[in-house]
Amino acid sequence: MESPGPATIRQGEDAISSEDNPGPTASAFRRARIESGLGRNVYLRWNIVPWALGRAPTVTDLDEARPALAQLLVSLPQLRAIVTFGTPALTGVMRYFTLEPRARVVPVLAAPHLSPANATRAGEKHLRAVTALRHASLL
């Protein structure tokens, strides 16, 4: 995902990004994950900028967050795929892979962000999310 959304931010500093959070984006992700067959215990949900911004991430935000992504990816030696939701998430992952010479590269599937604010047609967003998660689960 991109960064913690408004519902997560409202929960304060102890909040975590979860498919159980209130709000339409978390609910849309949960529906897509369940439909894809991806087990709840085999994925990790991460925001490319893991702290609250209250706006879309900029390239500067992505650069500041890259060390956190690097630390996360190094700690996941069994990682087989990444599914990004939204352009900032995809850009952040690609910047990491292309700016870090020793990065362990894994397949990346890009889906539209599931927020209702995203203008992509709802049916297409859902289908792309389900398909991306299903493909990732098979890798």
Side-chain angles (χ1 to χ4, degrees):
M1 300 288 181
E2 295 179 5
S3 64
T8 303
I9 292 170
R10 279 193 298 276
Q11 293 178 24
E13 66 181 41
D14 293 331
I16 61 169
S17 181
S18 167
E19 69 177 51
D20 296 324
N21 286 0
T25 302
S27 177
F29 175 82
R30 183 175 49 254
R31 281 192 309 277
R33 187 206 40 90
I34 291 168
E35 188 175 327
S36 77
L38 182 68
R40 178 117 190 211
N41 61 338
V42 297
Y43 84 93
L44 172 71
R45 183 176 162 143
W46 179 262
N47 286 306
I48 198 69
V49 177
W51 49 82
L53 292 174
R55 56 176 168 70
T58 65
V59 171
T60 299
D61 297 321
L62 297 175
D63 286 345
E64 290 172 357
R66 193 167 53 244
L69 179 62
Q71 184 177 5
L72 174 71
L73 294 179
V74 166
S75 72
L76 297 170
Q78 302 290 327
L79 181 69
R80 296 183 313 213
I82 295 173
V83 177
T84 63
F85 289 91
T87 301
L90 176 61
T91 300
V93 168
M94 290 297 114
R95 286 177 63 81
Y96 168 76
F97 284 143
T98 58
L99 290 171
E100 299 292 335
R102 292 181 298 278
R104 181 177 61 90
V105 178
V106 297
V108 177
L109 296 141
H113 196 283
L114 294 170
S115 167
N118 180 349
T120 303
R121 293 182 298 244
E124 180 180 322
K125 280 191 295 193
H126 179 76
L127 175 62
R128 288 180 62 190
V130 169
T131 302
L133 293 169
R134 186 174 293 138
H135 285 319
S137 73
L138 298 173
L139 291 172

